[in-house]
Amino acid sequence: MLFLSVISFIFIQAYGVVGNEVGVQNTFLTLLPMPWLLLEGSRRSTKILLSVLCCSCYFFIEYHQPIQQLIALEDTHKGVLQILYELLAMLVLILIAITFDNDRYKFEKKLKTMATTDGLTGLSNRTKLFIEGDRALCAVKRHKLPFCVALMDIDHFKKVNDNYGHSHGDAALQVVAKLLAENTRESDIIGRYGGEEFALILQGTDLSSAIDKLNSIREKIEAEPICYGSVCINCTASFGVTQLTNPGQNLTDLFDQADSALYDSKDKGRNCVSVY
């Protein structure tokens, strides 16, 4: 309705008030892309209708001027008005460009977030985990700092899904992710490694401190009730951790070692931290 009001106002000005010599009708040309930028993507028919209306108004006024204008303008005044409408057209084009650029930036940001974030937990996904982890590993090698990598698995997660439903399983993943985020530093990198597995990259942390931190997280997971609907349960988690000992090691090597340590935790009865 707002767009139709603008079209009607411009049409009245160009057709009945000042005439087509001033160039008011050129404003319709700058309005053409506006519906496509401002309206929702699903309103395709409305966009086409408004664009056709703008074109029709422009050609009608440009080539058909049958009535006497209400305001008779001198050539000087017509020149001033023409400049003003040209400036208005430029302003509209600038606003269109800004709108398009902002929309493109938001869309690109959304795509990047979708590509690097786990949709359920909000943590980094495996792709982002390796990108940030490789960057952190290069930094600690350069500065000769300690570096630990850990993998965590929710114990008997399949039983949670089987006994309480996948919604309760999703709630368990979200609670664990929240606890990991709340109990790690900003410099630590955490993410969902896959399924019910989470990864922790602890840069600048030696093995002894890493073990203490993981045990603290493990105890908090065990004590935290996981509720969905009226049913609350408790889960435990197993951890495997390793440290960088050779400058030639890459992140995949460290994850493989952490995975091996994680299997040791499962062999020991779960709900514990094992070191590679």
Side-chain angles (χ1 to χ4, degrees):
M1 291 303 295
L2 177 62
F3 200 84
L4 286 174
S5 299
V6 172
I7 292 176
S8 301
F9 174 77
I10 296 171
F11 184 85
I12 292 170
Q13 292 292 313
Y15 185 69
V17 180
V18 296
N20 62 357
E21 295 180 2
V22 178
V24 181
Q25 66 275 13
N26 293 331
T27 310
F28 287 118
L29 300 180
T30 61
L31 289 177
L32 273 175
M34 292 294 283
W36 300 91
L37 292 175
L38 300 180
L39 298 181
E40 297 175 357
S42 59
R43 303 182 65 181
R44 187 178 182 85
S45 58
T46 304
K47 295 176 182 180
I48 294 174
L49 179 62
L50 291 173
S51 296
V52 170
L53 184 59
C54 285
C55 291
S56 302
C57 289
Y58 169 78
F59 285 111
F60 181 83
I61 294 170
E62 183 72 17
Y63 300 106
H64 185 267
Q65 192 75 43
I67 67 172
Q68 183 68 33
Q69 285 71 51
L70 295 178
I71 301 176
L73 299 173
E74 297 179 0
D75 291 340
T76 304
H77 295 155
K78 289 181 179 179
V80 173
L81 275 178
Q82 188 168 0
I83 292 173
L84 290 176
Y85 279 112
E86 287 174 353
L87 290 174
L88 176 62
M90 291 179 185
L91 178 62
V92 171
L93 290 174
I94 291 172
L95 291 175
I96 291 173
I98 293 173
T99 302
F100 178 78
D101 189 63
N102 287 338
D103 288 345
R104 186 190 63 171
Y105 172 75
K106 291 177 183 177
F107 183 68
E108 289 176 352
K109 187 177 180 181
K110 183 178 179 180
L111 284 179
K112 185 177 180 180
T113 300
M114 291 173 62
T116 58
T117 304
D118 177 63
L120 179 64
T121 62
L123 299 180
S124 299
N125 63 11
R126 190 163 179 157
T127 299
K128 187 178 181 181
L129 195 66
F130 271 87
I131 292 173
E132 293 187 348
D134 282 328
R135 189 181 299 122
L137 182 58
C138 290
V140 298
K141 285 181 179 179
R142 185 166 60 251
H143 296 98
K144 297 181 180 180
L145 297 173
F147 187 82
C148 290
V149 171
L151 283 177
M152 187 220 84
D153 190 276
I154 300 177
D155 295 330
H156 306 296
F157 185 72
K158 186 176 183 301
K159 289 184 178 179
V160 175
N161 284 331
D162 292 343
N163 294 336
Y164 302 99
H166 286 82
S167 295
H168 219 128
D170 289 346
L173 292 171
Q174 291 170 332
V175 168
V176 169
K178 181 173 177 289
L179 289 172
L180 289 174
E182 290 175 347
N183 292 280
T184 49
R185 302 170 303 174
E186 199 171 318
S187 59
D188 296 331
I189 302 169
I190 57 174
R192 189 177 177 187
Y193 197 70
E196 67 273 21
E197 271 191 322
F198 294 85
L200 300 91
I201 298 174
L202 311 174
Q203 49 184 329
T205 302
D206 58 34
L207 186 60
S208 176
S209 299
I211 294 171
D212 290 341
K213 175 178 286 191
L214 296 178
N215 271 313
S216 174
I217 294 173
R218 179 186 59 79
E219 291 169 359
K220 289 180 180 178
I221 292 174
E222 185 178 14
E224 184 74 16
I226 298 169
C227 300
Y228 185 81
S230 59
V231 179
C232 292
I233 62 172
N234 286 87
C235 290
T236 60
S238 301
F239 293 79
V241 62
T242 188
Q243 65 177 335
L244 177 68
T245 56
N246 185 343
Q249 289 176 304
N250 58 37
L251 195 61
T252 301
D253 296 331
L254 294 172
F255 272 123
D256 288 342
Q257 291 178 1
D259 193 45
S260 177
L262 178 58
Y263 275 99
D264 289 341
S265 290
K266 293 179 180 180
D267 290 339
K268 293 175 184 176
R270 305 176 191 267
N271 193 22
C272 60
V273 177
S274 295
V275 180
Y276 179 78

